[in-house]
Amino acid sequence: MNLNFLDFEQPIAELEAKIEELRYVGDDAEININEEIARLQEKSRNLTKSIFAKLTPWQVSQLARHPQRPYTLDYLERIFTDFQELHGDRAFADDAAIVGGLARLEGRPVMVIGQQKGRDTQEKIRRNFGMPRPEGYRKALRLMHMAEKFGLPVLTFIDTPGAYPGIGAEERGQSEAIARNLFVMAELRTPILCTVIGEGGSGGALAIGVGDRVFMLQHGTYSVISPEGCASILWKSADKAPDAAEALGITAERLKELGLVDGIIPEPLGGAHRDIEQMAATLKQTLVQQLDLLERTPMDKLLSERYQRLMSYGHVKEG
Amino acid sequence: MSWFEKLMPSRIRTERNGVDKRQVPEGIWSQCNGCNQILYRAELERNLDVCPKCNYHMRIDARRRLDGFLDPESREEIAPHLEPIDELRFKDSKKYKDRITQAQKATGEKDALVVMRGQVLGLPLVAAAFEFKFMGGSMGAVVGEKFVRAVNVSLEHHIPLVCFSASGGARMQEALFSLMQMAKTSAALARLADARVPFVSVLTDPTMGGVSASFAMLGDIHVAEPNALIGFAGPRVIEQTVREKLPEGFQRSEFLLEHGAIDMIVDRRELRPRIGELLAMLGKRASVA
């Protein structure tokens, strides 16, 4: 089994393996097999298209957590210039699960904040698998206040399984750290543009996710609880995660329908990790375009629209 | 679940989860969860559901909580008719719609939050209380909306807000809508803070997850009842993640006080005078009443 491919992508993996084999043979074979390779490549593209045209929410959730999926820093180096990382919450520590700092987007200075997962084992541990502790959220808060003070827009990139459920995190007030960010972001006097680039895991994601616009990459997810967590509580079995993923409606498409996100940013065929350059270019285009719109809106209007947007979440029956 | 129970539609099936085996049948007698003493129900109720033998604070219904807290006169319920909508048609082992119906029947409430405008020792205020028996006090769109309306009444009349939370967190059956209630309620509190209207958050057993990580931790003053479980992640989740035994008293009120998360721990029977006094001072009144 090819580990670059997920379970449901195995038919594509097999085709790709065949193409590789042919290429290898092709080097010293007399017959011209380029035609055959081209035919198979076309077939592989079509197969990918048809598999990706009807992904289940559970499959999307696997894509959102794909080990090769681009993370915040991958986009930072491709979309922004002059990134200066700023560290620490000034109170306890620097949390590597959240990165942030000043950078330029097509020349204009902005504040970038995002969750960061690790690529290899060592980095995964250092970044705590992208699960922030209170000091991470407090660092983010500090950077947001700074952005407000100097009139810089805030761009956040959401990609976390959730806030870290640990002893130290609880001791240092994980709840308060998340709550404080929600409270401050609601009225921060500078434009905030949020993008879910991978996993939007519950309160841990929302803590950098309150803004004027919320976008999602096509195969990102955003949920109140992980499908596994939901399944083990409501179905009493983690094996029911695919059912839970379906019921929770965690995909960009569903959340757009429900009016919870503003737009979907399309991914390259096969997912963001198949062509990071193209993904970064598409994402950059959206960010630039949206930031233009937000920066042209007068601040009071922006804040009142942000407030109205928050108040509109969820419908009730006036009995 | 037996084959027979599986045959029954989920609407008729009774909920077994959460029923405490030690519970004594409803009626004249109750058993204390702290010291296992058998207590006379009427006496217990007079004592605001605090065990007279060991001071154990049992969970108390939202309405009885507000009844014991507010002055008897000039009470007015805010948004009593709001009801949940099953927008996602959520279904796990049971339909969300049926869970709502069942919880409404069991508690007599429309959802998990009750809000009233009234007075404490003559001081006008808005008080909200969670009904934990309504799906674990979970926060969905109705709880979020009612909380915002409570804030708005506070704002309009410039009177303080007090909220007694008792909740397992966000309501999974409302999926991302429930998560967004965290942002919604926190944004409303930001406006209340701008207007310099006091908000006292009373953390009772249990205050967890999305409720703890939003308005419950945004009070000007945080008051907790003794031995209440308060935190972000549930103890079981933490234990599974860190793979070690949790320290004694972890995530209890006393632990939070020690770590600086709350201002004080107050016995339920003392809440009325203590909060009254705090609010009087924040409102620069010479004395309560």
Side-chain angles (χ1 to χ4, degrees):
Chain A
M1 191 173 128
N2 188 334
L3 290 178
N4 286 337
F5 290 89
L6 296 166
D7 272 356
F8 62 89
E9 293 180 299
Q10 286 311 313
I12 308 170
E14 280 163 26
L15 258 181
E16 290 292 325
K18 239 183 238 170
I19 295 169
E20 271 312 299
E21 242 170 65
L22 270 181
R23 277 215 183 96
Y24 188 72
V25 174
D27 284 344
D28 44 30
E30 282 170 23
I31 42 163
N32 185 352
I33 53 168
N34 282 343
E35 230 169 75
E36 177 65 6
I37 290 179
R39 195 184 64 80
L40 283 177
Q41 276 174 333
E42 178 63 23
K43 200 173 161 194
S44 166
R45 245 193 315 277
N46 288 335
L47 185 65
T48 312
K49 264 186 208 158
S50 76
I51 288 177
F52 274 72
K54 41 180 198 298
L55 291 174
T56 65
W58 177 237
Q59 288 169 339
V60 174
S61 143
Q62 288 168 280
L63 277 170
R65 305 172 188 169
H66 197 289
Q68 289 168 338
R69 191 159 178 92
Y71 301 144
T72 297
L73 287 175
D74 297 310
Y75 292 122
L76 245 162
E77 67 183 48
R78 287 171 177 82
I79 296 175
F80 302 87
T81 55
D82 312 304
F83 176 53
Q84 302 262 6
E85 187 169 357
L86 303 173
H87 292 276
D89 69 342
R90 297 292 188 269
F92 180 77
D94 182 42
D95 186 350
I98 288 191
V99 293
L102 295 160
R104 286 198 170 89
L105 177 63
E106 286 199 331
R108 80 179 115 177
V110 295
M111 186 66 82
V112 182
I113 298 166
Q115 280 122 355
Q116 178 67 31
K117 296 177 177 177
R119 200 59 74 182
D120 57 41
T121 310
Q122 218 180 353
E123 201 202 354
K124 277 186 178 36
I125 292 168
R126 187 164 75 84
R127 301 211 178 267
N128 202 27
F129 302 86
M131 293 184 284
R133 297 179 166 95
E135 45 275 21
Y137 293 117
R138 288 177 183 138
K139 167 168 72 179
L141 185 67
R142 181 174 76 85
L143 300 185
M144 288 189 261
H145 279 307
M146 193 193 302
E148 180 183 51
K149 180 173 175 184
F150 297 106
L152 305 175
V154 175
L155 287 92
T156 73
F157 297 103
I158 296 164
D159 189 15
T160 179
Y164 185 58
I167 295 174
E170 293 289 326
E171 285 176 334
R172 297 191 294 279
Q174 188 72 287
S175 292
E176 195 274 346
I178 295 171
R180 186 64 49 196
N181 284 14
L182 307 179
F183 181 84
V184 169
M185 291 180 94
E187 294 192 339
L188 198 78
R189 292 188 71 84
T190 193
I192 306 175
L193 178 53
C194 312
T195 312
V196 180
I197 57 170
E199 265 182 289
S202 195
L206 186 66
I208 58 165
V210 178
D212 301 298
R213 298 280 189 281
V214 181
F215 281 83
M216 274 180 85
L217 297 197
Q218 190 183 352
H219 303 312
T221 57
Y222 200 176
S223 180
V224 67
I225 184 170
S226 71
E228 293 91 335
C230 181
S232 62
I233 296 171
L234 290 181
W235 278 265
K236 317 277 176 230
S237 148
D239 301 340
K240 294 283 185 187
D243 296 330
E246 185 81 44
L248 287 166
I250 59 178
T251 63
E253 201 182 338
R254 185 82 177 104
L255 295 171
K256 175 81 173 41
E257 272 171 26
L258 294 169
L260 289 164
V261 300
D262 298 288
I264 303 171
I265 303 169
E267 294 191 20
L269 183 61
H273 58 288
R274 297 274 173 235
D275 190 345
I276 301 185
E277 303 304 327
Q278 193 199 321
M279 185 69 251
T282 320
L283 176 57
K284 181 176 181 177
Q285 203 187 352
T286 308
L287 295 178
V288 171
Q289 201 178 28
Q290 291 299 320
L291 208 55
D292 273 341
L293 288 172
L294 294 179
E295 291 207 303
R296 256 185 274 142
T297 316
M299 189 51 62
D300 288 330
K301 183 162 184 271
L302 198 70
L303 289 182
S304 109
E305 282 172 1
R306 191 187 298 164
Y307 190 79
Q308 287 318 317
R309 164 201 181 83
L310 291 169
M311 291 307 125
S312 74
Y313 289 140
H315 304 103
V316 298
K317 192 161 81 187
E318 303 266 355
Chain B
M1 206 184 285
S2 74
W3 65 270
F4 179 69
E5 280 175 279
K6 274 184 193 156
L7 278 179
M8 288 196 289
S10 66
R11 194 166 346 107
I12 346 181
R13 221 183 286 149
T14 47
E15 195 69 56
R16 285 213 184 163
N17 326 319
V19 175
D20 196 333
K21 286 192 193 95
R22 286 185 304 173
Q23 213 170 26
V24 176
E26 282 291 303
I28 319 173
W29 300 98
S30 286
Q31 189 174 22
C32 173
N33 298 337
C35 62
N36 289 336
Q37 272 271 0
I38 306 289
L39 305 164
Y40 184 45
R41 185 75 218 158
E43 191 195 344
L44 186 63
E45 284 185 14
R46 266 196 304 277
N47 211 30
L48 296 174
D49 287 19
V50 177
C51 173
K53 310 282 180 204
C54 73
N55 283 337
Y56 182 90
H57 283 54
M58 298 176 199
R59 288 173 188 161
I60 181 169
D61 298 350
R63 263 173 217 282
R64 291 201 31 243
R65 155 85 67 187
L66 292 176
D67 195 44
F69 180 67
L70 295 169
D71 296 347
E73 54 282 340
S74 66
R75 294 178 187 177
E76 185 196 332
E77 188 165 352
I78 295 165
H81 304 300
L82 294 193
E83 277 193 72
I85 301 174
D86 177 19
E87 202 163 346
L88 299 167
R89 299 198 192 158
F90 195 97
K91 183 174 178 290
D92 46 271
S93 55
K94 209 171 188 170
K95 286 183 188 162
Y96 176 39
K97 227 173 111 187
D98 295 340
R99 284 188 197 269
I100 296 171
T101 314
Q102 199 168 51
Q104 286 177 335
K105 272 193 194 141
T107 60
E109 299 297 344
K110 297 268 194 277
D111 208 304
L113 191 70
V114 179
V115 185
M116 282 185 193
R117 187 179 164 193
Q119 299 184 342
V120 167
L121 305 166
L123 199 97
L125 51 69
V126 177
F130 273 82
E131 179 50 66
F132 188 75
K133 285 186 191 147
F134 197 107
M135 299 185 72
S138 56
M139 173 161 68
V142 171
V143 169
E145 180 64 22
K146 274 191 154 183
F147 187 87
V148 169
R149 293 201 190 180
V151 170
N152 289 342
V153 174
S154 278
L155 265 174
E156 189 188 338
H157 301 278
H158 221 268
I159 51 176
L161 176 65
V162 177
C163 180
F164 299 88
S165 43
S167 170
R171 188 174 295 167
M172 276 177 284
Q173 290 85 352
E174 293 190 23
L176 205 67
F177 284 112
S178 67
L179 187 74
M180 292 305 162
Q181 302 312 308
M182 293 170 64
K184 179 171 171 170
T185 51
S186 303
L189 282 179
R191 291 214 162 170
L192 195 70
D194 292 340
R196 298 179 196 276
V197 176
F199 169 47
V200 173
S201 175
V202 186
L203 306 146
T204 80
D205 187 58
T207 299
M208 304 298 291
V211 167
S212 156
S214 60
F215 58 84
M217 280 291 169
L218 293 172
D220 292 301
I221 295 176
H222 293 170
V223 180
E225 285 190 343
N227 199 41
L229 186 74
I230 303 160
F232 177 67
R236 249 183 314 159
V237 175
I238 298 174
E239 214 156 44
Q240 281 163 11
T241 310
V242 301
R243 292 177 195 287
E244 56 179 288
K245 227 168 148 41
L246 301 175
E248 181 75 18
F250 182 64
Q251 293 183 316
R252 296 286 168 182
S253 307
E254 296 71 17
F255 173 94
L256 268 85
L257 185 69
E258 196 182 314
H259 286 91
I262 57 173
D263 292 282
M264 58 182 83
I265 298 173
V266 177
D267 188 294
R268 186 177 295 159
R269 294 157 294 186
E270 291 298 314
L271 279 172
R272 200 171 124 82
R274 288 288 290 276
I275 292 175
E277 180 67 88
L278 288 168
L279 292 177
M281 286 199 263
L282 290 179
K284 294 183 183 166
R285 291 195 177 208
S287 67
V288 188

